[in-house]
């Protein structure tokens, strides 16, 4: 394990996709990883795992108390769990769906951070997995964009509650996960044209598999710590500023 590799981490949403990728990469490096999701984590080397629906706020603190019993420090907290919802026009977005996205993608993270504070767990770094959709605002991105934009501000606000701890929201770029099955195969790319760039990226190095993307995010953590605490960072802006400029010019 290198000096920079976290030795302990809490990863939410680690039953699949990027969260499972983080868990696998960190477990391989010898870290103690604790996770929360509804389905549970299939990685056998996980140190602790709780099945919890993060949309059910009342169940989060008891689950964290069971999960983190005896844990006094977490080198890394990755707030990764997230839902996509539907790609749709805003007038078509049901309020119940918008509420669910805000609950899981945004407010559940308030409950988790509050519990870490209440338990007085020392934390080395906090990263919330956001999205380019938090700032691009392309047609169709609906509650997902809203919830990720609110997540960015939530992290800025919580940066004041964790003095001395680097707190960031991070867009990880495109990753070939279950979310992409919906975006590339089911959503209407004729109406919502931003999807065409995403579909074209599938199967290319622009959309890595979850383990590769997880390693990319872990590799960027030291540079992330140099950014002002509370800020939103897109990994593409750090790794490939020209590509990021092209991307934002295309919105
Ligand atoms: N894939 C991309 O291209 C991409 C791009 C930008 C940002 N992201 C972000 O990356 C993060 C991971 O997404 P992914 O692409 O890896 O998709 P994914 O495979 O669908 O993973 C989502 C994870 O979130 C968990 N989750 C969802 N709702 C939950 C709930 N109510 N309670 C507990 N856990 C819940 C899921 O676990 P359970 O279903 O077991 O509960 C799952 O482990 C998300 O925040 C997403 O917004 C993804």
């Amino acid at each position: 394990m290198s000096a920079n590799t976290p030795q302990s981490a809490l990863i939410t949403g680690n039953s699949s996709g990027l969260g499972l990728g983080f868990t696998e990469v960190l477990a391989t490096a010898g870290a103690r990883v604790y996770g929360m999701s509804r389905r549970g984590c299939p990685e056998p080397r996980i140190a602790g795992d709780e099945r919890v629906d993060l949309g059910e706020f009342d169940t989060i603190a008891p689950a964290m108390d069971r999960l983190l019993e005896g844990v006094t420090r977490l080198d890394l907290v990755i707030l990764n769990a997230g839902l996509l919802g539907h790609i749709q026009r805003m007038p078509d977005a049901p309020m119940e769906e918008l509420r669910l996205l805000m609950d899981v993608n945004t407010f559940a993270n308030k409950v988790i951070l509050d519990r870490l504070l209440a338990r007085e767990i020392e934390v080395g770094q906090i990263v919330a997995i956001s999205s380019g959709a938090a700032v691009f605002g392309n047609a169709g991105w609906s509650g997902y964009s809203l919830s990720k934009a609110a997540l960015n501000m939530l992290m800025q606000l919580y940066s004041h509650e964790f003095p001395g701890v680097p707190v960031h929201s991070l867009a990880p770029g495109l990753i070939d996960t279950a979310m992409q099955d919906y975006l590339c195969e089911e959503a209407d790319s004729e109406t919502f044209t931003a999807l065409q760039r995403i579909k074209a990226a599938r199967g290319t190095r622009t959309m890595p598999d979850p383990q590769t993307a997880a390693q990319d995010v872990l590799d960027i953590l030291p540079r992330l710590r140099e950014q002002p605490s509370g800020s939103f960072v897109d990994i593409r802006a750090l790794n490939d500023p020209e590509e990021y400029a092209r991307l934002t010019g295309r919105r």
Side-chain angles (χ1 to χ4, degrees), residues 12-20 36-40 52-56 79-84 100 104-105 129-133 144 148 151 170-180 183 198 207 210 236:
T12 67
N14 61 345
S15 55
S16 66
L18 182 61
L20 178 56
M36 292 193 289
S37 66
R38 289 169 300 182
R39 287 170 292 170
V52 54
D53 184 340
L54 296 176
E56 303 287 335
L79 304 171
N80 163 81
L83 285 174
L84 178 62
L100 178 65
V104 174
N105 292 359
I129 300 299
S130 183
S131 167
Y144 185 72
K148 293 295 189 179
L151 174 66
L170 177 75
L174 300 175
I175 310 149
D176 202 348
T177 68
M179 279 194 187
Q180 294 297 343
L183 290 170
I198 294 177
M207 191 189 289
R236 294 163 290 196

Side-chain angles (χ1 to χ4, degrees), residues 45-160:
R45 293 169 294 178
I46 194 152
D49 196 42
E50 280 287 328
R51 290 185 188 222
V52 54
D53 184 340
L54 296 176
E56 303 287 335
F57 300 147
D58 292 348
T59 65
I60 296 176
M64 287 180 69
D65 290 348
R66 289 190 297 273
L67 185 66
L68 300 175
E69 194 184 354
V71 174
T72 55
R73 180 180 164 87
L74 291 163
D75 288 346
L76 179 63
V77 172
I78 303 187
L79 304 171
N80 163 81
L83 285 174
L84 178 62
H86 291 93
I87 299 294
Q88 59 198 342
R89 295 176 63 238
M90 276 314 286
D92 296 334
M95 289 307 292
E96 305 79 60
E97 180 179 323
L98 297 181
R99 275 202 197 97
L100 178 65
L101 286 162
M102 294 301 294
D103 283 356
V104 174
N105 292 359
T106 311
F107 295 130
N109 294 313
K110 171 196 162 19
V111 181
I112 293 168
L113 293 173
D114 288 348
R115 201 64 194 158
L116 290 175
L117 287 168
R119 289 187 66 85
E120 298 182 343
I121 292 178
E122 190 188 338
V123 177
Q125 181 166 9
I126 302 173
V127 181
I129 300 299
S130 183
S131 167
V135 293
F136 295 167
N138 287 314
W141 287 77
S142 190
Y144 185 72
S145 281
L146 277 175
S147 62
K148 293 295 189 179
L151 174 66
N152 290 358
M153 181 52 76
L154 186 79
M155 299 314 286
Q156 191 170 337
L157 294 170
Y158 267 95
S159 69
H160 305 294

